[in-house]
Amino acid sequence: MRALRIILILVVILGGLFVIADRVAVHFAEGEAADKLKSTENLASTPDVSIKGFPFLTQVAGGSLDDVAVGIKDYEAATGTAGKTIRIDDLQADMKGVSFSGDYSSATAASATGTATISYAELLKTAKSEPTEVAPGLEAKVVGLSDGGNGKIKVAVHVTGKVLTVPVDRTLSVLSSVTIVNDKVEVHADSLPKLAAISLAENRVRNITDFQQAIDHLPGGIELDKVQAAKDGVDITVKGSDVRLAG
């Protein structure tokens, strides 16, 4: 009985040491992965990397990690226009089946899904900010975006000018749908604003109310999947396969 007790104590001690070693190893690996991702994606700040699953050391021995979560704050995504970026807030991605090279210089996830938010202030930068003629004597521009409720964006359009001799200075609102079209966030008015009995040319008005925003070169090659208007901006979901984390 004494020998059995000693064996059990040793098993408990060794198990505890293994758990400690495993947690130390995963903490070190998370730091190394975060630094590598920051360098690879040229990020302004170090991302959060969390390696899921236990034990970590047996996953390493198998050459693949089951689940890795990555969090990036304030990611500056390319827009397809030279020198212009759009800030994506709180990009959270869940990577599945992450394989890595023997020297850990490269890592690739079999699949990835994630979420992020683009504020209305950032999206507004895409809208036409210069006054554009919408009818003889009248000009308009988008001056604000906000939550319109029920998954819609409220687009505020400021109209100025004169109709005959009557001055016009009004802000109209239209509800718009937001979707992903050809890998771009597209805002499209459900109906056009009306200004008393004045006829506004539809193509001219839509040239102001409707717009697209390209979002290119997301981390690891993930792509836009869906978009939904929310309280503080548009919530997007992303997905990808063979997503490169490093190397």
Side-chain angles (χ1 to χ4, degrees), residues 44-241:
S45 60
T46 303
D48 294 325
V49 176
S50 178
I51 299 174
K52 309 295 185 180
F54 177 83
F56 165 71
L57 292 174
T58 57
Q59 295 184 66
V60 171
S64 177
L65 302 177
D66 298 333
D67 191 354
V68 178
V70 176
I72 301 175
K73 300 289 186 181
D74 300 332
Y75 181 78
E76 296 290 338
T79 62
T81 301
K84 291 188 177 181
T85 62
I86 186 168
R87 188 180 71 251
I88 298 178
D89 300 326
D90 199 21
L91 175 60
Q92 300 290 328
D94 189 27
M95 313 289 185
K96 301 292 188 182
V98 179
S99 58
F100 46 86
S101 61
D103 60 357
Y104 307 108
S105 61
S106 64
T108 303
S111 64
T113 56
T115 60
T117 300
I118 301 174
S119 70
Y120 286 122
E122 281 294 304
L123 194 59
L124 180 61
K125 295 176 182 179
T126 304
K128 188 175 290 294
S129 58
E130 296 297 325
T132 301
E133 186 181 66
V134 292
L138 291 179
E139 292 183 332
K141 67 176 182 179
V142 174
V143 293
L145 301 176
S146 59
D147 180 21
N150 298 316
K152 301 292 184 179
I153 294 178
K154 183 165 69 174
V155 180
V157 181
H158 190 214
V159 182
T160 58
K162 285 186 178 181
V163 177
L164 298 179
T165 59
V166 179
V168 175
D169 188 351
R170 293 186 57 186
T171 298
L172 309 175
S173 294
V174 296
L175 289 179
S176 300
S177 299
V178 57
T179 54
I180 300 295
V181 178
N182 296 326
D183 298 324
K184 297 179 181 178
V185 176
E186 179 176 275
V187 177
H188 182 82
D190 295 346
S191 60
L192 296 180
K194 299 186 183 300
L195 188 61
I198 302 171
S199 176
L200 303 178
E202 178 174 346
N203 62 332
R204 292 184 179 181
V205 176
R206 286 205 177 276
N207 188 41
I208 298 169
T209 61
D210 298 0
F211 56 91
Q212 290 184 331
Q213 175 60 70
I215 300 177
D216 300 330
H217 306 302
L218 290 173
I222 54 177
E223 298 177 345
L224 298 177
D225 183 27
K226 298 177 183 178
V227 63
Q228 175 74 41
K231 180 181 178 181
D232 299 318
V234 292
D235 292 338
I236 62 175
T237 59
V238 296
K239 66 179 181 179
S241 57

Side-chain angles (χ1 to χ4, degrees), residues 37 40-41 95 106-109 218-222 241-247:
L37 184 58
T40 300
E41 296 294 338
M95 313 289 185
S106 64
T108 303
L218 290 173
I222 54 177
S241 57
D242 296 326
V243 176
R244 180 177 53 82
L245 298 178

Side-chain angles (χ1 to χ4, degrees), residues 2-36:
R2 183 180 179 186
L4 179 59
R5 189 179 301 114
I6 292 173
I7 291 173
L8 290 176
I9 292 172
L10 288 173
V11 168
V12 171
I13 292 173
L14 291 174
L17 290 174
F18 176 79
V19 171
I20 293 172
D22 191 81
R23 293 303 88 191
V24 170
V26 75
H27 180 71
F28 176 78
E30 287 171 344
E32 289 294 305
D35 290 341
K36 188 69 175 179

